[in-house]
Amino acid sequence: MNKKKIAVILSGSGVFDGAEIFEATLTLLHLDRHNADIVCFAPDIDQHHVINHRTGEEMVETRNVLTEASRINRGAVSPLQDADPNEFDAVVVPGGFGVAKNLSDFAFKGGECDVYEPFAELIRSFHAQKKPVGMICIAPVLIPKILGKGISCTIGRDAAASGEIDSMGGIHISCNVDGIVVDHEHKIITTPAYMEAKRISEAEKGVAALVEKVISMC
C-alpha cells in the first residue's frame, strides 16, 4: 500500500472551546497505525472565547487557535493557510466546540451559521478533487453549509443537531457510536464520536472505522 498523506484540521485544544482532545488523539493514533504521513493545521486566529474546562466558566483572556492546537501534536501544527489539497490524499476534521465556535459560529446561530471561509474553501478543494473528507462528532453539521445539499452524514442521534443538518439540505442518517456513515458519491465519511460516546473506548471504535475508510478511499 502506498503511504497516504493526510491533513488533520484542528480547531484549538479542549472540548468546550477547541478541538476535542480525545477525538484528535484517536485520529492521529489510527492514522499513524495506517502508516500515514500526517500534517496538522489550524487557523491562526483568536478563539471565540476561552473556557475554564474545570469549572465550565468563561475566562477573561484571549487565546490563539493555532497556538492552542499545537499542544495536541507536540508543537507540529502549521497555519491553515499553508494547507494545499494538491499535496494530500485526504483530510480529517476532529470535533469539539472549536468547530462550532472557531471554524464556524454554528454554536450560536445553528443552521444560519457562517463558516470560516479559509476552512470552507479548503474542504471544497478536497471535495472538488474527489479526495476523501472525514468529519467527526459535531463537524458534520458544516457539510451542507460548505458543500451544498444532498450529502449523507451523521452526528449520531441528537435530534437538534440532526434537525439542523436536514434544515440546511443535508441528509442526516442516525448512527451508533461505533459506526460510520459513508457518502460514496461525495467521498464524505462521518462518525458520531463524543456526540454519542460516554467513554474514550466507545469513541475509539467509530474513529478507527472512519480512519480505515478514509485510507481505503484514497
Side-chain angles (χ1 to χ4, degrees):
M1 180 186 296
N2 294 331
K3 189 171 186 177
K4 306 303 181 185
K5 188 173 184 180
I6 312 296
V8 175
I9 311 302
L10 301 174
S11 56
S13 178
V15 58
F16 298 125
D17 58 12
E20 211 295 319
I21 294 173
F22 285 169
E23 291 173 1
T25 302
L26 289 170
T27 297
L28 297 174
L29 171 64
H30 284 284
L31 286 171
D32 183 66
R33 284 180 171 171
H34 284 277
N35 197 35
D37 182 3
I38 309 161
V39 184
C40 292
F41 296 94
D44 188 4
I45 57 175
D46 289 339
Q47 294 182 185
H48 171 76
H49 59 195
V50 179
I51 299 295
N52 181 326
H53 279 60
R54 185 176 60 84
T55 65
E57 297 177 353
E58 187 171 345
M59 302 172 68
V60 184
E61 63 177 90
T62 301
R63 297 190 185 184
N64 178 275
V65 175
L66 177 61
T67 300
E68 292 301 296
S70 70
R71 295 174 179 271
I72 293 177
N73 199 36
R74 302 175 64 85
V77 180
S78 298
L80 184 68
Q81 65 191 36
D82 293 347
D84 182 357
N86 296 313
E87 298 178 357
F88 292 90
D89 296 295
V91 60
V92 179
V93 185
F97 272 102
V99 173
K101 294 178 178 180
N102 302 327
L103 299 183
S104 72
D105 54 11
F106 179 85
F108 315 107
K109 296 183 180 179
E112 301 299 317
C113 68
D114 294 310
V115 181
Y116 179 60
E117 184 55 31
F119 171 69
E121 179 57 35
L122 183 70
I123 299 301
R124 284 194 292 264
S125 295
F126 273 94
H127 182 250
Q129 294 185 26
K130 303 186 184 305
K131 294 178 177 178
V133 175
M135 300 188 103
I136 298 168
C137 190
I138 194 65
V141 299
L142 301 183
I143 290 171
K145 205 73 176 181
I146 296 171
L147 298 178
K149 299 179 179 181
I151 298 176
S152 298
C153 63
T154 192
I155 48 80
R157 301 184 183 279
D158 183 87
S162 62
E164 295 287 8
I165 290 173
D166 290 335
S167 74
M168 290 185 283
I171 302 171
H172 183 266
I173 298 176
S174 295
C175 182
N176 293 331
V177 65
D178 58 350
I180 59 174
V181 167
V182 182
D183 187 308
H184 291 276
E185 178 184 354
H186 295 277
K187 289 192 172 183
I188 306 295
I189 308 96
T190 53
T191 191
Y194 271 96
M195 290 297 290
E196 294 291 333
K198 305 300 183 187
R199 52 200 293 187
I200 190 171
S201 59
E202 291 180 355
E204 187 269 343
K205 294 176 183 177
V207 173
L210 178 139
V211 168
E212 182 173 6
K213 180 59 71 172
V214 165
I215 294 293
S216 71
M217 293 181 76
C218 286

